[in-house]
Amino acid sequence: MELKNARAIVTGGASGLGAATAEYFRAQGAQVMVLDRDAKGADFAAGIGAGFHETDVTDEASVAAAIAAARDHMGGLDACINCAGIVIGEKTVGREGAHKLDTFRRVIEVNLIGTFNVLRLAAEAMAQNEGPERGVIVNTASIAAFDGQAGQAAYAASKAAIAGMTLPVARDLARSGIRICSIAPGTFGTPMLRSLPQDVQDALAAEVTFPKRLGEPEEFARLAAFIVESGYMNGETVRLDGALRMR
């Protein structure tokens, strides 16, 4: 699939890695629909020449409406890039007691169930395309899936599950001509992280094996684009982390 011909939705597409991906895809000629729960994302989408639909990835009706709107806007759907997610740090047992169950449930609901909710409905739409390759899905895991730090039980569990379902979903979707891969990014210089004090950013960068810097959001976008265009990549979770292994 050539990126310039792709019709893509990007969840969490109004900020961070999602925004970088939406912008890069548009720059390469792809049609893009930004899906985000923040209505302010409409201004960003308009600025890059993309469509926008306010979307709650955890809500079935909301996602179904967004995909229908994307298909109407772009004339179909070929690619789905799932970047929507949240991070909440909380220890299993902390100073205030046990990890709040509602907090754990919320992280799983957004990061894991939200991702699956979008990919299953996107795949259903892609299956209606013609040709041997009908679509491609790229999910966002994290290196926390493999070496999560203290206070990341919920986040690491959600991202490990995204990595874990990549191969079985690839096998499920093979008969429909749809590929799926996941990207496990390390420490990236998103606007939220760049807002931290410089000494904190420097300390994070120093942990990276090489190159000793934060990842650039466009590097994530480029890998997502590579997956879309690489027809033999399927069922794999790719670390993008400068060989960082979290302590």
Side-chain angles (χ1 to χ4, degrees):
M1 182 186 302
E2 293 187 26
L3 192 60
K4 65 181 181 181
N5 298 325
R7 299 165 294 185
I9 57 172
V10 182
T11 70
S15 63
L17 299 179
T21 301
E23 186 170 12
Y24 183 79
F25 276 40
R26 280 294 300 132
Q28 302 306 307
Q31 294 186 66
V32 174
M33 174 75 85
V34 171
L35 276 53
D36 202 284
R37 64 180 180 180
D38 187 350
K40 295 179 181 179
D43 293 335
F44 165 75
I48 64 171
F52 176 80
H53 199 280
E54 187 175 347
T55 309
D56 178 355
V57 297
T58 68
D59 184 82
E60 182 173 8
S62 179
V63 173
I67 290 176
R71 295 178 70 191
D72 288 344
H73 179 74
M74 300 184 293
L77 180 62
D78 309 300
C80 169
I81 317 299
N82 281 309
C83 295
I86 60 174
V87 180
I88 298 176
E90 189 174 343
K91 291 187 177 181
T92 307
V93 177
R95 294 178 179 177
E96 297 181 0
H99 195 301
K100 296 181 181 64
L101 188 58
D102 285 346
T103 302
F104 191 93
R105 183 180 287 115
R106 179 59 179 164
V107 173
I108 297 297
E109 183 178 32
V110 175
N111 293 359
L112 174 59
I113 297 175
T115 294
F116 186 74
N117 188 30
V118 175
L119 78 83
R120 71 188 182 92
L121 295 177
E124 182 182 38
M126 293 174 188
Q128 299 177 39
N129 295 335
E130 297 181 355
E133 183 178 4
R134 300 174 188 173
V136 58
I137 298 164
V138 181
N139 291 334
T140 304
S142 168
I143 62 169
F146 312 107
D147 36 71
Q149 295 183 301
Q152 288 190 340
Y155 183 73
S158 70
K159 295 302 186 176
I162 288 175
M165 74 178 176
T166 302
L167 181 58
V169 172
R171 289 170 168 166
D172 285 348
L173 297 180
R175 62 182 295 177
S176 299
I178 299 169
R179 296 183 292 113
I180 179 171
C181 287
S182 296
I183 300 173
T187 309
F188 271 69
T190 59
M192 180 175 67
L193 197 148
R194 291 295 188 190
S195 69
L196 297 176
Q198 189 60 51
D199 61 331
V200 175
Q201 296 184 48
D202 292 343
L204 292 170
E207 294 292 325
V208 181
T209 303
F210 182 80
K212 286 192 174 297
R213 61 173 176 80
L214 303 178
E216 294 296 338
E218 186 178 302
E219 292 176 303
F220 176 95
R222 286 179 178 273
L223 180 53
F226 178 79
I227 292 170
V228 168
E229 294 195 318
S230 299
Y232 205 56
M233 283 198 71
N234 194 17
E236 185 59 80
T237 297
V238 183
R239 291 182 71 131
L240 185 63
D241 59 12
L244 171 64
R245 297 298 182 267
M246 304 290 278
R247 291 187 291 177

